[in-house]
Amino acid sequence: MSYTIKDVTNVLGVTPKTCFRWIEDGLKIIPESKNPIYIHGSDLKEFHRLKNLKRKVTLGRNEFYCLTCKRAVSAKRGSVEVLSGRKLARCRACNGKISRLF
Ligand SMILES: [Zn+2]
């Protein structure tokens, strides 16, 4: 089952802008699809499962959620950068990119 952006906005009651932000945040689209873009229902589910998981974790002041380790992690010393309202850093455990809003 696949959906267009329009279907997603109808089904989930979000704006197309939100959908495009999800895609930027890592929501997978069906590669050959451009106009319109198609999204697999299973990818949409998985994206929201991870999003909810992320939201449930309470982060300490200097903690980040690492998508690779799937848990709250500390940033590697000296790796924290502040960029347009976000903090970017490297995971101390796996050296992956991690980020959080303030
Ligand atoms: Zn990690």
Side-chain angles (χ1 to χ4, degrees), residues 66-69 73 91-96 98:
C66 177
L67 282 173
T68 309
C69 301
V73 295
C91 172
R92 192 181 277 182
C94 72
N95 205 36
I98 50 181

Side-chain angles (χ1 to χ4, degrees), residues 57-65 72-75 87 100-102:
V57 177
T58 314
L59 297 174
R61 239 180 98 77
N62 290 305
E63 282 184 329
F64 291 77
Y65 185 80
V73 295
S74 306
K87 274 186 177 176
R100 67 177 287 178
L101 300 171
F102 282 107

Side-chain angles (χ1 to χ4, degrees), residues 45-88:
K45 248 189 216 157
E46 177 66 7
F47 180 76
H48 281 97
R49 195 181 66 80
L50 289 175
K51 226 177 152 67
N52 288 335
L53 212 73
K54 208 168 158 181
R55 201 179 294 143
K56 260 181 232 152
V57 177
T58 314
L59 297 174
R61 239 180 98 77
N62 290 305
E63 282 184 329
F64 291 77
Y65 185 80
C66 177
L67 282 173
T68 309
C69 301
K70 296 199 168 37
R71 61 181 175 89
V73 295
S74 306
K76 212 166 139 183
R77 196 179 289 260
S79 72
V80 181
E81 265 179 81
V82 175
L83 196 79
S84 58
R86 273 171 175 261
K87 274 186 177 176
L88 305 172

Side-chain angles (χ1 to χ4, degrees), residues 1 5 9-11 15 21 23 25 28 30 33 35 43 56-57 60-61 72 78 83-85 92 94-95 98 100:
M1 186 75 184
I5 297 288
T9 60
N10 288 337
V11 173
T15 62
R21 210 182 52 228
I23 292 167
D25 280 353
K28 278 187 223 141
I30 297 174
S33 68
N35 201 10
D43 286 336
K56 260 181 232 152
V57 177
R61 239 180 98 77
L83 196 79
S84 58
R92 192 181 277 182
C94 72
N95 205 36
I98 50 181
R100 67 177 287 178

